[in-house]
Amino acid sequence: MSGEIMPISEAKISVLDWGFTRSDCTYDVASVRNGAFFRLEDYLERFQTSLAKVRIEVVQSKDEMRDIVHNIVARSGLQDSYVAMVASRGVPLIPGTRDPRQCGNHFFAWCIPYVHVIRPEVAARGAHLYVPREVRRIPPDSVDSTAKNYHWGDLTRGLFEALDAGFDTAVLLDHQGNVTEGPGFNIFSLKGNIVRTPDTGVLEGITRRTVLELCTELNLETDVRPIALSEFMESDEIFTATTGGGIAPVTRVNDRVFSNDAPGQVTNRISETYLSWFDRPEFRQPVNYLQDR
Amino acid sequence: MSGEIMPISEAKISVLDWGFTRSDCTYDVASVRNGAFFRLEDYLERFQTSLAKVRIEVVQSKDEMRDIVHNIVARSGLQDSYVAMVASRGVPLIPGTRDPRQCGNHFFAWCIPYVHVIRPEVAARGAHLYVPREVRRIPPDSVDSTAKNYHWGDLTRGLFEALDAGFDTAVLLDHQGNVTEGPGFNIFSLKGNIVRTPDTGVLEGITRRTVLELCTELNLETDVRPIALSEFMESDEIFTATTGGGIAPVTRVNDRVFSNDAPGQVTNRISETYLSWFDRPEFRQPVNYLQDR
């Protein structure tokens, strides 16, 4: 394994790094729960896909990245952790040139205590979502949403609007008026026996994939296609899905109340099933924590 | 003046900074030529506008920012410099929260030797521009192009396509098929006596503004409005404008050759006038270099 390990307070990146100055980077976030990574191979695989899509080559192989994230979590001692991998375009190898094909790219990883994108107390009562009127999600023909990226200007703008209006977070429409995603999560709509989630303009989340897979076990139908706002507002239940916190019920969207202003029954069943999947051996990679801590 | 000065090799930013992890920042770039800032007040004013638009408040006032950039250039000794100002959302003040209104924002500035976005030898023969077929500029209702930002995923994608196809750089279309801007520059089209540049989906460049102002002195008409690709391809002359390099003639766009494959006469006149404006006292702020270097 290459690279050095340092505390997060000392981990720094140059202000000249293109990852910073042009958000010219890609990243991924895996999680550790109860001392084990969940579906780490899927996260590593998606990260490789993102790297290829944005054409950032780094010297670390997928196997080395696996070793690195295991190593930093082991050293941190964190039993529940948010584990980020980032690859950045770095700086041009020849000063004064601006060729993105000729940069000193680099890879780094860091872990912190587990993060809930939607706070547990908010998930417990059901999140209140705001759909901004004006700001639209960056379209995929501008920035490919399936290559996990930091182009969050639209999401941040939406989040400001949502918070100012007294909501918990935002979900953005695309330019066709379909719901897409929010800052850090995918969105799901339940109607009857069918669980729907958008197919375009969104990150192909690993938690999203897990939900789609477990719905089959729960005898729910899945349907991945565009969802117009008008259809979304007629959902029986709505929930969000993200690595940082799992499933969170949504009880309000703008002025509409869903599932009697309480987490939906099907959502709760999906959330419980999701949590139970953390114990499945095929998804679980225990961290080999250092004994001498 | 607040803050500390350090060499660029030691100037670092935390990997947890939202400026890095979510490109949640805004910036501006002024230039020093022959020992003096050019139109610094306009750059400072635009930066204040960008800060308000993305709602990043920093403790430094505009007057302090002016002092800071003068100070770093003075200490660097650079007579010709690319001077960047960046304001970043920082990190949430309360760990675990994700409220962009409650972050430890910060401001920093750095200067390096003057940068030519389009290299002088390329500008001398005329740049070759590529208009990508698929990637489109991020629309203003997703990310406001007038708040100078680092959302360059689309521009970088276009630049890769351009370089792979043997061109010098790219200019992107918007979703309506109009030309917008390239990675780091505005674009101008001359037809007859009229100098045109797009009005939407672009940065309101200070060099762009300077060109529009000096055209009046040169008895050229100006016209700021959308320019369809088909109209653009019928230009008599084309040129780019940016703080990092000034005016650069364009002689080829895709398979079309302009102004006999040589820098256009009007473009050259505009470029010469632009350079002469650096000596205008109302635009010039000499740097007070340290004597003891």
Side-chain angles (χ1 to χ4, degrees):
Chain A
M1 183 181 358
S2 55
E4 55 180 323
I5 292 184
M6 60 184 84
I8 199 96
S9 58
E10 293 170 19
K12 305 284 181 177
I13 189 113
S14 166
V15 296
L16 293 181
D17 189 290
W18 282 18
F20 181 71
T21 57
R22 292 185 188 83
S23 46
D24 198 357
C25 51
T26 185
Y27 76 116
D28 221 302
V29 175
S31 73
V32 168
R33 303 309 301 266
N34 299 319
F37 277 96
F38 179 64
R39 301 193 80 154
L40 179 58
E41 295 309 307
D42 293 318
Y43 289 97
L44 289 168
E45 188 57 40
R46 178 175 66 180
F47 189 51
Q48 296 302 311
T49 303
S50 293
L51 284 167
K53 283 182 174 175
V54 301
R55 295 176 61 171
I56 295 181
E57 291 174 27
V58 294
V59 296
Q60 290 80 7
S61 68
K62 189 168 82 168
D63 287 342
E64 286 173 315
M65 291 177 187
R66 182 187 306 106
D67 287 347
I68 289 167
V69 294
H70 267 279
N71 194 354
I72 59 174
V73 175
R75 288 176 181 237
S76 75
L78 292 168
Q79 297 289 316
D80 297 280
S81 179
Y82 174 101
V83 187
M85 299 175 272
V86 184
S88 164
R89 188 85 61 197
V91 294
L93 295 175
I94 304 166
T97 64
R98 293 191 149 220
D99 188 338
R101 301 169 305 181
Q102 307 286 335
C103 286
N105 306 335
H106 56 255
F107 167 82
F108 59 94
W110 46 272
C111 62
I112 55 175
Y114 189 73
V115 167
H116 291 266
V117 171
I118 293 177
R119 284 179 292 124
E121 59 269 31
V122 169
R125 67 141 156 83
H128 301 166
L129 282 189
Y130 184 76
V131 182
R133 290 173 200 279
E134 292 184 5
V135 59
R136 291 286 178 274
R137 187 76 181 103
I138 295 171
D141 62 357
S142 292
V143 178
D144 183 352
S145 57
T146 68
K148 199 167 163 75
N149 65 75
Y150 285 141
H151 284 60
W152 273 38
D154 52 347
L155 294 168
T156 302
R157 202 165 139 189
L159 185 55
F160 264 111
E161 270 193 60
L163 295 171
D164 286 348
F167 290 79
D168 299 312
T169 188
V171 64
L172 264 56
L173 300 181
D174 64 17
H175 288 79
Q176 289 73 45
N178 301 310
V179 295
T180 60
E181 59 189 358
F185 57 84
N186 286 117
I187 191 91
F188 282 83
S189 159
L190 173 85
K191 183 75 177 177
N193 195 44
I194 304 173
V195 175
R196 292 197 170 88
T197 197
D199 60 341
T200 56
V202 301
L203 176 73
E204 293 173 349
I206 306 294
T207 308
R208 171 178 175 272
R209 187 194 306 177
T210 305
V211 168
L212 293 172
E213 289 171 1
L214 67 82
C215 279
T216 305
E217 286 202 4
L218 295 176
N219 289 318
L220 294 162
E221 281 180 52
T222 58
D223 190 19
V224 182
R225 61 156 171 79
I227 305 173
L229 178 61
S230 54
E231 179 185 2
F232 185 68
M233 295 300 265
E234 297 300 326
S235 304
D236 293 335
E237 298 182 21
I238 293 172
F239 61 90
T240 64
T242 170
T243 296
I247 315 299
V250 171
T251 50
R252 300 187 191 181
V253 180
N254 295 352
D255 57 355
R256 287 282 264 283
V257 176
F258 293 84
S259 49
N260 294 318
D261 210 14
Q265 290 187 348
V266 179
T267 299
N268 284 341
R269 200 144 53 94
I270 290 171
S271 182
E272 286 157 20
T273 307
Y274 172 73
L275 292 173
S276 75
W277 279 34
F278 279 83
D279 297 326
R280 295 205 168 185
E282 70 268 32
F283 291 148
R284 191 177 151 84
Q285 273 189 26
V287 175
N288 188 16
Y289 293 96
L290 302 183
Q291 301 304 315
D292 60 355
R293 278 182 59 89
Chain B
M1 184 182 355
S2 55
E4 56 181 321
I5 291 184
M6 61 184 83
I8 199 98
S9 58
E10 293 171 19
K12 306 283 180 175
I13 190 116
S14 166
V15 296
L16 294 181
D17 189 290
W18 282 18
F20 181 70
T21 56
R22 293 187 186 81
S23 47
D24 197 356
C25 52
T26 185
Y27 76 118
D28 220 300
V29 174
S31 73
V32 168
R33 303 308 303 264
N34 298 319
F37 278 96
F38 178 64
R39 300 194 80 153
L40 179 58
E41 295 309 307
D42 293 318
Y43 288 97
L44 289 168
E45 188 57 39
R46 179 175 65 179
F47 189 52
Q48 296 302 311
T49 303
S50 294
L51 284 167
K53 284 182 174 175
V54 299
R55 296 177 58 172
I56 296 181
E57 290 174 28
V58 294
V59 295
Q60 290 80 7
S61 67
K62 189 169 82 167
D63 286 342
E64 286 173 314
M65 292 177 187
R66 183 188 305 106
D67 286 347
I68 288 167
V69 294
H70 267 280
N71 194 353
I72 60 174
V73 175
R75 287 175 181 238
S76 75
L78 291 168
Q79 297 290 315
D80 297 280
S81 180
Y82 174 102
V83 187
M85 298 175 273
V86 184
S88 164
R89 187 84 61 195
V91 294
L93 293 176
I94 304 166
T97 63
R98 293 191 148 220
D99 188 337
R101 301 169 304 181
Q102 305 286 336
C103 286
N105 305 336
H106 56 253
F107 168 80
F108 60 94
W110 46 273
C111 62
I112 55 175
Y114 189 72
V115 168
H116 291 264
V117 171
I118 294 178
R119 284 179 293 125
E121 60 269 32
V122 169
R125 66 141 156 83
H128 301 167
L129 280 190
Y130 183 76
V131 182
R133 290 173 201 279
E134 292 184 5
V135 59
R136 291 286 177 276
R137 188 74 181 105
I138 295 171
D141 61 358
S142 293
V143 178
D144 183 351
S145 57
T146 67
K148 198 166 164 77
N149 65 76
Y150 286 140
H151 284 61
W152 272 39
D154 52 346
L155 295 168
T156 302
R157 201 165 140 190
L159 186 54
F160 264 110
E161 270 193 59
L163 295 172
D164 286 348
F167 290 79
D168 299 311
T169 188
V171 65
L172 265 56
L173 300 181
D174 64 18
H175 288 79
Q176 289 73 47
N178 301 310
V179 296
T180 60
E181 60 190 357
F185 56 83
N186 286 117
I187 191 89
F188 283 83
S189 158
L190 173 85
K191 183 75 176 177
N193 194 45
I194 304 173
V195 175
R196 293 198 168 88
T197 196
D199 60 341
T200 56
V202 301
L203 176 74
E204 293 173 349
I206 305 295
T207 309
R208 172 178 173 274
R209 186 194 305 177
T210 305
V211 168
L212 292 172
E213 289 171 1
L214 67 80
C215 279
T216 306
E217 285 202 7
L218 295 175
N219 288 318
L220 293 162
E221 283 181 51
T222 59
D223 190 19
V224 182
R225 61 154 170 81
I227 306 173
L229 178 61
S230 54
E231 179 184 2
F232 185 68
M233 295 301 264
E234 297 300 326
S235 303
D236 294 335
E237 299 182 20
I238 293 172
F239 61 90
T240 65
T242 171
T243 297
I247 313 301
V250 171
T251 50
R252 300 187 192 180
V253 179
N254 295 352
D255 57 355
R256 288 281 264 282
V257 175
F258 293 83
S259 51
N260 294 317
D261 211 15
Q265 290 187 347
V266 178
T267 299
N268 284 341
R269 200 144 53 94
I270 290 171
S271 181
E272 286 157 20
T273 307
Y274 171 73
L275 292 174
S276 75
W277 278 34
F278 280 83
D279 297 325
R280 295 204 169 185
E282 69 268 33
F283 291 147
R284 190 177 152 82
Q285 274 189 26
V287 175
N288 188 16
Y289 293 96
L290 302 184
Q291 300 305 313
D292 59 355
R293 278 180 58 87

